[in-house]
Amino acid sequence: MEQASQRQATQTLAELERLRRRTRTRAHGGAWLPALAIAALLLASSALYRHPYAWTNSISADAPFWAGLPDEQLSPVASYLFWFLGTPLVFAAVGAWYRWRSRALGLRVAWPLFVGTGLGVLLLLAVLAAVPAQAPVQEGALAAIRHEFWLPGLLTPLLPVAAAVLALGWAERSRGLLVAGGWITALTVWLCGWFPMGYLPGWAADALSGDLGGGPNSLGGQLDWRPGFWLILMALPLLMFAVIRGWQSWRAANDD
């Protein structure tokens, strides 16, 4: 009798655990669409650059970096409008998606944290930078700051996107989204904090070249990638997350 009661208790606990996992999967199964939408926004921003994938003999950037990355853009005003209109539109679509899921499933996710964080940082960027102004920065003019961090370079609309992804990861309780947000943040700070983008300090250049003999560091180097390639690299974790989470959500729906 006692063994039967223990088996029943074990089965009950197992069933409760299964229901808990199922509810969690259903509640957070919709995160694939926000991740996909933000990845699409990042990839679409490559159209803002004059040479997103082609190499050029000279590098010129407009500060602030309204296109996102420090490279020659087609139009600072077009870049400004792309991010300050496109980003809120993406957030609105994501909010509508979560509201629909909440009505359909009866489960809620703290998505306003995602929208509020992204829009708040975007507003802060607008206040700090005021209006788009074309101030060309040539590679030679910034030779003196190549070896030190350049704080004005962080006036880029990529940081509000990164902050929004981090907030979404917190709301969805997703380590994958938190890693993706941290990845976008790290790349943005590195690429926009030094000019030209892709600059490597001496120790990093030595490590990549295999020169770890312990001697003095070299003068540094540069990963000479075009903006489009960096944006693909930024969006890659989000795309991977969207595929995996979308598959999990589809499988859970078909198992019901």
Side-chain angles (χ1 to χ4, degrees), residues 2 106 140 154 174 219:
E2 183 178 352
L154 297 188
S174 168
L219 296 178

Side-chain angles (χ1 to χ4, degrees), residues 87-106:
T87 304
L89 286 175
V90 168
F91 290 167
V94 169
W97 165 254
Y98 276 117
R99 286 195 297 270
W100 174 83
R101 282 181 55 83
S102 177
R103 290 193 299 268
L105 302 177

Side-chain angles (χ1 to χ4, degrees), residues 190-212:
W190 172 46
L191 294 172
C192 298
W194 286 267
F195 188 89
M197 63 179 176
Y199 169 72
L200 294 171
W203 62 267
D206 291 343
L208 289 178
S209 64
D211 184 10
L212 301 176

Side-chain angles (χ1 to χ4, degrees), residues 23-32 34 94-116 164-174 177 241 245:
T23 301
R24 178 180 175 85
T25 300
R26 287 169 61 88
H28 300 289
W32 64 269
V94 169
W97 165 254
Y98 276 117
R99 286 195 297 270
W100 174 83
R101 282 181 55 83
S102 177
R103 290 193 299 268
L105 302 177
L107 300 171
R108 300 188 62 183
V109 175
W111 61 268
L113 176 65
F114 156 73
V115 174
V165 174
L166 288 171
L168 181 63
W170 179 266
E172 289 281 2
R173 303 297 189 266
S174 168
L177 285 174
F241 175 87
R245 182 58 62 88

Side-chain angles (χ1 to χ4, degrees), residues 110-166:
W111 61 268
L113 176 65
F114 156 73
V115 174
T117 300
L119 291 181
V121 179
L122 191 68
L123 178 61
L124 178 62
L125 173 65
V127 171
L128 292 176
V131 294
Q134 190 170 3
V137 180
Q138 301 294 332
E139 183 175 358
L142 282 178
I145 66 170
R146 286 185 60 172
H147 305 286
E148 63 183 38
F149 188 71
W150 191 43
L151 188 60
L154 297 188
L155 295 179
T156 166
L158 290 174
L159 281 184
V161 173
V165 174
L166 288 171

Side-chain angles (χ1 to χ4, degrees), residues 31-118:
W32 64 269
L33 188 138
L36 185 61
I38 296 172
L41 184 69
L42 290 172
L43 295 175
S45 70
S46 63
L48 301 174
Y49 301 91
R50 190 171 298 278
H51 305 287
Y53 298 102
W55 275 263
T56 61
N57 295 325
S58 62
I59 299 176
S60 176
D62 299 320
F65 304 139
W66 290 118
L69 295 174
D71 204 274
E72 188 175 0
Q73 53 190 327
L74 292 173
S75 167
V77 175
S79 300
Y80 187 88
L81 293 176
F82 174 87
W83 289 108
F84 281 85
L85 293 179
T87 304
L89 286 175
V90 168
F91 290 167
V94 169
W97 165 254
Y98 276 117
R99 286 195 297 270
W100 174 83
R101 282 181 55 83
S102 177
R103 290 193 299 268
L105 302 177
L107 300 171
R108 300 188 62 183
V109 175
W111 61 268
L113 176 65
F114 156 73
V115 174
T117 300

Side-chain angles (χ1 to χ4, degrees), residues 215-232:
N217 290 336
S218 67
L219 296 178
Q222 181 186 358
L223 290 179
D224 191 19
W225 282 14
R226 303 303 299 139
F229 300 121
W230 289 118
L231 291 169
I232 291 174

